[in-house]
Amino acid sequence: MFGATVADSTAPAHDHSVAARAVDLRKVYGEGDAAVAALDGVSVNFAAGEFTAVMGPSGSGKSTLMHCLAALDTATSGQVFLGDTEITRLDDKRLTTLRRDKIGFVFQAYNLVPTLTAQENIELPLAIAGRKPDQAWFDTVIDTVDLRSRLSHRPNELSGGQQQRVACARALVSSPDIVFADEPTGNLDSAASGEVLSFLRRSVDEHHQTIVMVTHDPIAAAYTDRVVFLDDGRVVDEIREPTADRVLEQMKMLSSGAVAGTPAEG
Amino acid sequence: MLRLTVRNLLARKLRLALSGFAIVLGVAFVAGSFIFTDAMSGAFSGIIKGTTADVEVAPKGANDFDSLQDRRTVPAEIVDKLAGLTEAESVHPYNQQQGVYVIDPNGDLVGGSGPPGLAFNYSDTVAITGEPILSLTEGELPSGTGEIALEESTAERAGYHIGDEVELVTAGRNPTMTATLTGLMRFGSAGGLGGATLVLFDTQAMQELFFNGEDVYSGISLTAAEGVSQEELRDAAQPLLPPGVRARTGDDAAAANEAGIEEILGFINTFLLVFAGVSLVVGTFLIINTFSILVAQRSRELALLRALGASRRQVNRSVLAEALAVGLLGSTIGIAVGYLLALGLKALFAFFGLDLSGASFPITLRTVLVSYAVGLVVTMIAAYLPARRAARIAPVAAMRDDVALPESSLRRRLIVGAVMVVAGVGLMVLGFAGEGESGLALIGAGMLAILIGVALMSPVLGRPLIHGLGAIYRRVFGTVGSLATENSLRNPRRTAATASALMIGLTLVALMSILGQSASASTDKAIRESLTSEYVVSNVVGAPFSPKIAEQIRELPQVETVAQFRTAQAEVDGSFAFVGAVDPNGFAEAFDLPIPGAVTAVFRPGTVLVEASTAEQGGYEVGDTIPLELQGGTVKLELTATYPPGALPANYLVTPDTLIKGGLEPLDSMLFITKAPGAADADLRSAVDKITSQIPTVTLKDPQEFAAEQKEQINLFLYLIYALLGLAVIIAVLGIVNTLALSVIERTREVGLLRAVGLSRRQLRRMVRLESVAIAVLGAVLGVLMGIAFGVALQRAIADQGIDVLSIPWLRLAVFVVLAALVGVLAAVLPARRAARLNVLRAITTE
Ligand SMILES: Nc1ncnc2c1ncn2[C@@H]1O[C@H](COP(=O)(O)OP(=O)(O)O)[C@@H](O)[C@H]1O
Ligand SMILES: [Mg+2]
């Protein structure tokens, strides 16, 4: 019954502007009576060069979706495509390379290796692959996150906002096809959140980066191009060109259960 | 709090099991040493009691456990006199002879050349145990010089059956002989002779073969009549005996012999316990480290307890209670493993000729108590520091994200470590100045203090090493290499403590290698410098052989002179004396003894030459009279010269007549041969070989071959020590496994993050492996350096005792470091696998 309301997100399969795509994705935890469907048939596309927010009540499956899309977890059924590659078929070795070369991550916390400096952390995925960063791009990223003066510091010498910016820089410096961020501003105050979000926004605008971000915060969602709402493991709604007020309104409707049949407006 | 302790124990089963394992191994070594020496003691005590009758009559001092070549006898007429005693039920004269070996059908010596080869006459004497000393189990009693019986295990090892012709090597007039095997005997009730072999003749045959056909006996055993005590029988017998012959009760005789055995067993026990101690010290490091890491990982939880109102003491106690449980469990398992280890030692010593196959291995109350005491004390001491640190965690730490444990500053550690090193050096210096066992104990304590001091300082001392290794890692392994380096640097105390355990093991291994190599080099030098004879005939272990060999060789045309070198054990002023005896004339030809003037000028009957360091220790000077106490009595000798240490394999040198005066049988242990002018070496060799081939253990060699044979003995001993130190090294390796495993658990999220950003499983395993190798190499390098320092110091200190050449086996030491690196690779296998198996998602999402 929800399928109809989100028909437009099950877009054509070979659209080149689609960076990542989930098709009827299901993820079940536990067995028998205790089974919980964290994802219950999610089909969603993420267009290249777009900044998408994923929102929904706690436990609605946002993180699970993110993990499945980012090749960190395997789905129970359904498919995940990254560009044209179906990652649900790949083995651990391939997935590792894929994460290293094609995907960037920012987690809510604990994004950095404590023994490495900020610069070493940023270069980590490249260094693991045995590649040198492209100097011009590295400089661009560093300047965009405004971290040049902090490069030789260890994580424990950086503020939370700085740490998350380092994490963002790390996610971007290898020029991945897509960046996933799971509540990247969850632990930050509003000023630090602003820094991180405007940086993400800029990397989409200026460098056509594709970003998918989970957030709870309507203000954070307002930085994005599109918001996808999840509830109970299903996509229930989406908004384009969101503003904080509209998102907040939508969230209220979702939590009161009134949204169920209401299609998104405009 | 108790419930919490139990929960914690259960929750951390694996980690505690690893530290418990250190206790198990250490306690096992202690328990095993005691069980093994108890078994030996029981076996020998059984042999002694099983061969002693109610009263034993023998020349004073003869036939004791340590009288090897006593040739004094009692005349036959005493036997008749004693037989007249109403107190005696029966009288059994006996003859015994050492150095009678059985050759198996392949021409090899049964039991090798280590354990003694005995010959008795058969008699039906009953021992104080109530059992006959010997009982015929198969066949018939031998009669005449052409027949023998063999003790069962001897026959079995040789593979001889009744009716076979048995070849024997004897120390008597005939170097070899053959006889027909007519019967098999069981010895005592338990059977077995601890590896020795036993041949039985009839009484006349013994006298004919070994006592020049005279009607004399080595001694007489008496059994008491019904209702007569040992003392009554002894008191009745003593008045009938000529001067110098003494009657002893069986209990006294057995006790005297057992005391002699206990001394040697005590030495073996101490020797083993030293290695047990080393294992325990290494184990202590492992436990300290494990508890430190566990406390660090639980610091948040402990802080929460404190915040909820638990007192410091409660927190402290909950950690100590955990240690107590680990100590108890570890000690219990340790005793069981110790039993197995004792069986292992049995196999190891069997390799050196000690056969304990019939012995029982008792776990006595003392063994159990000592094992528990050691296990618990070590665990509690090791857990005390981490427990104290746990108690110091501030309650507010529960609210913080990153809990840093209060740790003593590195500077304080450095100071305490330095103080310990200085104190240790002081102790060693005192030890070198001191004497005997207390001196050794001081040296040992000094070394321990230095090792602990260096271990304390190692977080600082090791840093440049890790940095150096890190530079190599980075170059060779790139990012993975630098991640591994950073990991080993992030917690210098932990890395250093883990490495220190290996350091201690390797220090001792390196030290022993250096001493062994120096001893070999010193042997080479001594032989090169003072042995002027072209050839040596000897037995590997210095077991005496028949002088007939020397007589036969002397008659060869290719031979110019033969010097017969004999040895004996004696006492001078209560300290042990290793005595060499040689004829002055032959000696001057064979040996270039570095003393001023001609040897013959000072060395003649009635004189003694003393090794310089022995003379110095005893305060003897040229002109003094030296009382040399041999079994048959004390011989007073004039000290006429001293010679440098290591020049001779003896610290007293006398003429052969002195040994005969002392009641010793004239048996040779080495022959020094000079070639006749113009004789061809090959001729001489083949001629001498023909003679020595009668005795498989005695061979002809030139000085180089002789030196090689001596060095082989040194190496054999070295391998025994390596084997015993091996356990300490195993514990240290477990320590590395433990630390890595705990670190991997602690860094779960970091590992998850690394995997998430694209580190492959292989790279992750390599990272753990490189960290492990860094720890192992750090320990090995520190250990080898310490070993070199100790080795040089010890060699210098004992230079005047014969080890006067310092020789460092660089290649071998390098091999140790390489082996340690390989061990590091092995130690990382499980932790690395564990890290690689980590579920990425779980790792990054766990709180
Ligand atoms: N490892 C897991 N085992 C069992 N259930 C899980 C696990 N991870 C998530 N879940 C369940 O799946 C559902 C979705 O979780 P999650 O994706 O983390 O939600 P969100 O990120 O939207 O808060 C929840 O009901 C959660 O309890
Ligand atoms: Mg979530």
Side-chain angles (χ1 to χ4, degrees), chain B residues 20-37:
Chain B
F21 206 61
I23 287 293
V24 168
L25 288 185
V27 168
F29 213 145
V30 172
S33 304
F34 277 111
I35 294 170
F36 179 66
T37 38

mmCIF file with all atom_site columns, all heavy atoms in Angstrom, chain B residues 20-37:
data_model
loop_
_atom_site.group_PDB
_atom_site.id
_atom_site.type_symbol
_atom_site.label_atom_id
_atom_site.label_alt_id
_atom_site.label_comp_id
_atom_site.label_asym_id
_atom_site.label_entity_id
_atom_site.label_seq_id
_atom_site.pdbx_PDB_ins_code
_atom_site.Cartn_x
_atom_site.Cartn_y
_atom_site.Cartn_z
_atom_site.occupancy
_atom_site.B_iso_or_equiv
_atom_site.pdbx_formal_charge
_atom_site.auth_seq_id
_atom_site.auth_comp_id
_atom_site.auth_asym_id
_atom_site.auth_atom_id
_atom_site.pdbx_PDB_model_num
ATOM 1   N N   . GLY B 1 20 ? 46.380 -17.284 33.401 1.00 0.00 ? 20 GLY B N   1
ATOM 2   C CA  . GLY B 1 20 ? 46.407 -18.472 34.241 1.00 0.00 ? 20 GLY B CA  1
ATOM 3   C C   . GLY B 1 20 ? 47.410 -19.481 33.703 1.00 0.00 ? 20 GLY B C   1
ATOM 4   O O   . GLY B 1 20 ? 48.071 -20.189 34.460 1.00 0.00 ? 20 GLY B O   1
ATOM 5   N N   . PHE B 1 21 ? 47.558 -19.503 32.404 1.00 0.00 ? 21 PHE B N   1
ATOM 6   C CA  . PHE B 1 21 ? 48.474 -20.435 31.781 1.00 0.00 ? 21 PHE B CA  1
ATOM 7   C C   . PHE B 1 21 ? 49.910 -20.183 32.204 1.00 0.00 ? 21 PHE B C   1
ATOM 8   O O   . PHE B 1 21 ? 50.696 -21.113 32.376 1.00 0.00 ? 21 PHE B O   1
ATOM 9   C CB  . PHE B 1 21 ? 48.340 -20.329 30.262 1.00 0.00 ? 21 PHE B CB  1
ATOM 10  C CG  . PHE B 1 21 ? 48.720 -21.586 29.561 1.00 0.00 ? 21 PHE B CG  1
ATOM 11  C CD1 . PHE B 1 21 ? 48.034 -22.758 29.813 1.00 0.00 ? 21 PHE B CD1 1
ATOM 12  C CD2 . PHE B 1 21 ? 49.764 -21.607 28.666 1.00 0.00 ? 21 PHE B CD2 1
ATOM 13  C CE1 . PHE B 1 21 ? 48.381 -23.923 29.172 1.00 0.00 ? 21 PHE B CE1 1
ATOM 14  C CE2 . PHE B 1 21 ? 50.119 -22.782 28.019 1.00 0.00 ? 21 PHE B CE2 1
ATOM 15  C CZ  . PHE B 1 21 ? 49.427 -23.939 28.271 1.00 0.00 ? 21 PHE B CZ  1
ATOM 16  N N   . ALA B 1 22 ? 50.246 -18.908 32.383 1.00 0.00 ? 22 ALA B N   1
ATOM 17  C CA  . ALA B 1 22 ? 51.596 -18.577 32.836 1.00 0.00 ? 22 ALA B CA  1
ATOM 18  C C   . ALA B 1 22 ? 51.837 -19.189 34.213 1.00 0.00 ? 22 ALA B C   1
ATOM 19  O O   . ALA B 1 22 ? 52.901 -19.746 34.490 1.00 0.00 ? 22 ALA B O   1
ATOM 20  C CB  . ALA B 1 22 ? 51.775 -17.066 32.884 1.00 0.00 ? 22 ALA B CB  1
ATOM 21  N N   . ILE B 1 23 ? 50.813 -19.079 35.066 1.00 0.00 ? 23 ILE B N   1
ATOM 22  C CA  . ILE B 1 23 ? 50.916 -19.666 36.402 1.00 0.00 ? 23 ILE B CA  1
ATOM 23  C C   . ILE B 1 23 ? 51.035 -21.174 36.292 1.00 0.00 ? 23 ILE B C   1
ATOM 24  O O   . ILE B 1 23 ? 51.859 -21.807 36.950 1.00 0.00 ? 23 ILE B O   1
ATOM 25  C CB  . ILE B 1 23 ? 49.670 -19.285 37.236 1.00 0.00 ? 23 ILE B CB  1
ATOM 26  C CG1 . ILE B 1 23 ? 49.752 -17.827 37.615 1.00 0.00 ? 23 ILE B CG1 1
ATOM 27  C CG2 . ILE B 1 23 ? 49.550 -20.130 38.464 1.00 0.00 ? 23 ILE B CG2 1
ATOM 28  C CD1 . ILE B 1 23 ? 50.865 -17.518 38.551 1.00 0.00 ? 23 ILE B CD1 1
ATOM 29  N N   . VAL B 1 24 ? 50.221 -21.740 35.420 1.00 0.00 ? 24 VAL B N   1
ATOM 30  C CA  . VAL B 1 24 ? 50.251 -23.191 35.243 1.00 0.00 ? 24 VAL B CA  1
ATOM 31  C C   . VAL B 1 24 ? 51.675 -23.634 34.901 1.00 0.00 ? 24 VAL B C   1
ATOM 32  O O   . VAL B 1 24 ? 52.224 -24.536 35.525 1.00 0.00 ? 24 VAL B O   1
ATOM 33  C CB  . VAL B 1 24 ? 49.272 -23.629 34.136 1.00 0.00 ? 24 VAL B CB  1
ATOM 34  C CG1 . VAL B 1 24 ? 49.511 -25.083 33.759 1.00 0.00 ? 24 VAL B CG1 1
ATOM 35  C CG2 . VAL B 1 24 ? 47.839 -23.438 34.599 1.00 0.00 ? 24 VAL B CG2 1
ATOM 36  N N   . LEU B 1 25 ? 52.272 -22.972 33.933 1.00 0.00 ? 25 LEU B N   1
ATOM 37  C CA  . LEU B 1 25 ? 53.600 -23.397 33.494 1.00 0.00 ? 25 LEU B CA  1
ATOM 38  C C   . LEU B 1 25 ? 54.637 -23.198 34.593 1.00 0.00 ? 25 LEU B C   1
ATOM 39  O O   . LEU B 1 25 ? 55.467 -24.071 34.844 1.00 0.00 ? 25 LEU B O   1
ATOM 40  C CB  . LEU B 1 25 ? 54.021 -22.638 32.233 1.00 0.00 ? 25 LEU B CB  1
ATOM 41  C CG  . LEU B 1 25 ? 53.280 -23.058 30.966 1.00 0.00 ? 25 LEU B CG  1
ATOM 42  C CD1 . LEU B 1 25 ? 53.845 -22.349 29.755 1.00 0.00 ? 25 LEU B CD1 1
ATOM 43  C CD2 . LEU B 1 25 ? 53.359 -24.556 30.759 1.00 0.00 ? 25 LEU B CD2 1
ATOM 44  N N   . GLY B 1 26 ? 54.597 -22.044 35.262 1.00 0.00 ? 26 GLY B N   1
ATOM 45  C CA  . GLY B 1 26 ? 55.577 -21.775 36.304 1.00 0.00 ? 26 GLY B CA  1
ATOM 46  C C   . GLY B 1 26 ? 55.447 -22.773 37.446 1.00 0.00 ? 26 GLY B C   1
ATOM 47  O O   . GLY B 1 26 ? 56.428 -23.376 37.884 1.00 0.00 ? 26 GLY B O   1
ATOM 48  N N   . VAL B 1 27 ? 54.209 -22.961 37.909 1.00 0.00 ? 27 VAL B N   1
ATOM 49  C CA  . VAL B 1 27 ? 53.979 -23.893 39.019 1.00 0.00 ? 27 VAL B CA  1
ATOM 50  C C   . VAL B 1 27 ? 54.329 -25.318 38.578 1.00 0.00 ? 27 VAL B C   1
ATOM 51  O O   . VAL B 1 27 ? 54.912 -26.088 39.340 1.00 0.00 ? 27 VAL B O   1
ATOM 52  C CB  . VAL B 1 27 ? 52.521 -23.808 39.503 1.00 0.00 ? 27 VAL B CB  1
ATOM 53  C CG1 . VAL B 1 27 ? 52.199 -24.949 40.437 1.00 0.00 ? 27 VAL B CG1 1
ATOM 54  C CG2 . VAL B 1 27 ? 52.296 -22.479 40.206 1.00 0.00 ? 27 VAL B CG2 1
ATOM 55  N N   . ALA B 1 28 ? 54.001 -25.628 37.334 1.00 0.00 ? 28 ALA B N   1
ATOM 56  C CA  . ALA B 1 28 ? 54.300 -26.974 36.834 1.00 0.00 ? 28 ALA B CA  1
ATOM 57  C C   . ALA B 1 28 ? 55.800 -27.233 36.933 1.00 0.00 ? 28 ALA B C   1
ATOM 58  O O   . ALA B 1 28 ? 56.229 -28.332 37.283 1.00 0.00 ? 28 ALA B O   1
ATOM 59  C CB  . ALA B 1 28 ? 53.829 -27.117 35.389 1.00 0.00 ? 28 ALA B CB  1
ATOM 60  N N   . PHE B 1 29 ? 56.585 -26.219 36.641 1.00 0.00 ? 29 PHE B N   1
ATOM 61  C CA  . PHE B 1 29 ? 58.030 -26.392 36.686 1.00 0.00 ? 29 PHE B CA  1
ATOM 62  C C   . PHE B 1 29 ? 58.481 -26.667 38.122 1.00 0.00 ? 29 PHE B C   1
ATOM 63  O O   . PHE B 1 29 ? 59.305 -27.556 38.381 1.00 0.00 ? 29 PHE B O   1
ATOM 64  C CB  . PHE B 1 29 ? 58.719 -25.130 36.151 1.00 0.00 ? 29 PHE B CB  1
ATOM 65  C CG  . PHE B 1 29 ? 60.001 -25.406 35.434 1.00 0.00 ? 29 PHE B CG  1
ATOM 66  C CD1 . PHE B 1 29 ? 60.368 -24.642 34.346 1.00 0.00 ? 29 PHE B CD1 1
ATOM 67  C CD2 . PHE B 1 29 ? 60.850 -26.416 35.843 1.00 0.00 ? 29 PHE B CD2 1
ATOM 68  C CE1 . PHE B 1 29 ? 61.547 -24.880 33.668 1.00 0.00 ? 29 PHE B CE1 1
ATOM 69  C CE2 . PHE B 1 29 ? 62.035 -26.663 35.181 1.00 0.00 ? 29 PHE B CE2 1
ATOM 70  C CZ  . PHE B 1 29 ? 62.384 -25.893 34.098 1.00 0.00 ? 29 PHE B CZ  1
ATOM 71  N N   . VAL B 1 30 ? 57.923 -25.897 39.054 1.00 0.00 ? 30 VAL B N   1
ATOM 72  C CA  . VAL B 1 30 ? 58.274 -26.109 40.461 1.00 0.00 ? 30 VAL B CA  1
ATOM 73  C C   . VAL B 1 30 ? 57.846 -27.500 40.913 1.00 0.00 ? 30 VAL B C   1
ATOM 74  O O   . VAL B 1 30 ? 58.650 -28.279 41.445 1.00 0.00 ? 30 VAL B O   1
ATOM 75  C CB  . VAL B 1 30 ? 57.594 -25.035 41.353 1.00 0.00 ? 30 VAL B CB  1
ATOM 76  C CG1 . VAL B 1 30 ? 57.794 -25.349 42.820 1.00 0.00 ? 30 VAL B CG1 1
ATOM 77  C CG2 . VAL B 1 30 ? 58.151 -23.647 41.030 1.00 0.00 ? 30 VAL B CG2 1
ATOM 78  N N   . ALA B 1 31 ? 56.560 -27.807 40.662 1.00 0.00 ? 31 ALA B N   1
ATOM 79  C CA  . ALA B 1 31 ? 56.039 -29.112 41.097 1.00 0.00 ? 31 ALA B CA  1
ATOM 80  C C   . ALA B 1 31 ? 56.808 -30.230 40.419 1.00 0.00 ? 31 ALA B C   1
ATOM 81  O O   . ALA B 1 31 ? 57.200 -31.212 41.059 1.00 0.00 ? 31 ALA B O   1
ATOM 82  C CB  . ALA B 1 31 ? 54.548 -29.204 40.778 1.00 0.00 ? 31 ALA B CB  1
ATOM 83  N N   . GLY B 1 32 ? 57.050 -30.063 39.112 1.00 0.00 ? 32 GLY B N   1
ATOM 84  C CA  . GLY B 1 32 ? 57.760 -31.090 38.362 1.00 0.00 ? 32 GLY B CA  1
ATOM 85  C C   . GLY B 1 32 ? 59.146 -31.339 38.920 1.00 0.00 ? 32 GLY B C   1
ATOM 86  O O   . GLY B 1 32 ? 59.593 -32.486 39.037 1.00 0.00 ? 32 GLY B O   1
ATOM 87  N N   . SER B 1 33 ? 59.840 -30.257 39.310 1.00 0.00 ? 33 SER B N   1
ATOM 88  C CA  . SER B 1 33 ? 61.186 -30.419 39.861 1.00 0.00 ? 33 SER B CA  1
ATOM 89  C C   . SER B 1 33 ? 61.134 -31.254 41.142 1.00 0.00 ? 33 SER B C   1
ATOM 90  O O   . SER B 1 33 ? 61.941 -32.164 41.339 1.00 0.00 ? 33 SER B O   1
ATOM 91  C CB  . SER B 1 33 ? 61.803 -29.054 40.191 1.00 0.00 ? 33 SER B CB  1
ATOM 92  O OG  . SER B 1 33 ? 61.807 -28.242 39.063 1.00 0.00 ? 33 SER B OG  1
ATOM 93  N N   . PHE B 1 34 ? 60.169 -30.923 42.003 1.00 0.00 ? 34 PHE B N   1
ATOM 94  C CA  . PHE B 1 34 ? 60.071 -31.652 43.261 1.00 0.00 ? 34 PHE B CA  1
ATOM 95  C C   . PHE B 1 34 ? 59.666 -33.104 43.018 1.00 0.00 ? 34 PHE B C   1
ATOM 96  O O   . PHE B 1 34 ? 60.244 -34.021 43.601 1.00 0.00 ? 34 PHE B O   1
ATOM 97  C CB  . PHE B 1 34 ? 59.067 -30.980 44.203 1.00 0.00 ? 34 PHE B CB  1
ATOM 98  C CG  . PHE B 1 34 ? 59.675 -29.830 44.955 1.00 0.00 ? 34 PHE B CG  1
ATOM 99  C CD1 . PHE B 1 34 ? 59.308 -28.526 44.704 1.00 0.00 ? 34 PHE B CD1 1
ATOM 100 C CD2 . PHE B 1 34 ? 60.637 -30.060 45.940 1.00 0.00 ? 34 PHE B CD2 1
ATOM 101 C CE1 . PHE B 1 34 ? 59.877 -27.468 45.393 1.00 0.00 ? 34 PHE B CE1 1
ATOM 102 C CE2 . PHE B 1 34 ? 61.208 -29.014 46.635 1.00 0.00 ? 34 PHE B CE2 1
ATOM 103 C CZ  . PHE B 1 34 ? 60.823 -27.716 46.356 1.00 0.00 ? 34 PHE B CZ  1
ATOM 104 N N   . ILE B 1 35 ? 58.664 -33.285 42.162 1.00 0.00 ? 35 ILE B N   1
ATOM 105 C CA  . ILE B 1 35 ? 58.196 -34.654 41.916 1.00 0.00 ? 35 ILE B CA  1
ATOM 106 C C   . ILE B 1 35 ? 59.333 -35.489 41.339 1.00 0.00 ? 35 ILE B C   1
ATOM 107 O O   . ILE B 1 35 ? 59.567 -36.623 41.740 1.00 0.00 ? 35 ILE B O   1
ATOM 108 C CB  . ILE B 1 35 ? 56.985 -34.651 40.962 1.00 0.00 ? 35 ILE B CB  1
ATOM 109 C CG1 . ILE B 1 35 ? 55.796 -33.968 41.633 1.00 0.00 ? 35 ILE B CG1 1
ATOM 110 C CG2 . ILE B 1 35 ? 56.612 -36.075 40.558 1.00 0.00 ? 35 ILE B CG2 1
ATOM 111 C CD1 . ILE B 1 35 ? 54.625 -33.702 40.715 1.00 0.00 ? 35 ILE B CD1 1
ATOM 112 N N   . PHE B 1 36 ? 60.071 -34.872 40.425 1.00 0.00 ? 36 PHE B N   1
ATOM 113 C CA  . PHE B 1 36 ? 61.153 -35.608 39.774 1.00 0.00 ? 36 PHE B CA  1
ATOM 114 C C   . PHE B 1 36 ? 62.254 -35.973 40.774 1.00 0.00 ? 36 PHE B C   1
ATOM 115 O O   . PHE B 1 36 ? 62.717 -37.109 40.822 1.00 0.00 ? 36 PHE B O   1
ATOM 116 C CB  . PHE B 1 36 ? 61.729 -34.770 38.635 1.00 0.00 ? 36 PHE B CB  1
ATOM 117 C CG  . PHE B 1 36 ? 62.865 -35.435 37.921 1.00 0.00 ? 36 PHE B CG  1
ATOM 118 C CD1 . PHE B 1 36 ? 62.654 -36.590 37.183 1.00 0.00 ? 36 PHE B CD1 1
ATOM 119 C CD2 . PHE B 1 36 ? 64.148 -34.916 37.987 1.00 0.00 ? 36 PHE B CD2 1
ATOM 120 C CE1 . PHE B 1 36 ? 63.690 -37.210 36.520 1.00 0.00 ? 36 PHE B CE1 1
ATOM 121 C CE2 . PHE B 1 36 ? 65.195 -35.536 37.332 1.00 0.00 ? 36 PHE B CE2 1
ATOM 122 C CZ  . PHE B 1 36 ? 64.968 -36.682 36.601 1.00 0.00 ? 36 PHE B CZ  1
ATOM 123 N N   . THR B 1 37 ? 62.657 -35.002 41.603 1.00 0.00 ? 37 THR B N   1
ATOM 124 C CA  . THR B 1 37 ? 63.729 -35.325 42.547 1.00 0.00 ? 37 THR B CA  1
ATOM 125 C C   . THR B 1 37 ? 63.231 -36.291 43.626 1.00 0.00 ? 37 THR B C   1
ATOM 126 O O   . THR B 1 37 ? 63.982 -37.151 44.081 1.00 0.00 ? 37 THR B O   1
ATOM 127 C CB  . THR B 1 37 ? 64.343 -34.069 43.193 1.00 0.00 ? 37 THR B CB  1
ATOM 128 O OG1 . THR B 1 37 ? 63.318 -33.130 43.432 1.00 0.00 ? 37 THR B OG1 1
ATOM 129 C CG2 . THR B 1 37 ? 65.373 -33.450 42.289 1.00 0.00 ? 37 THR B CG2 1
#
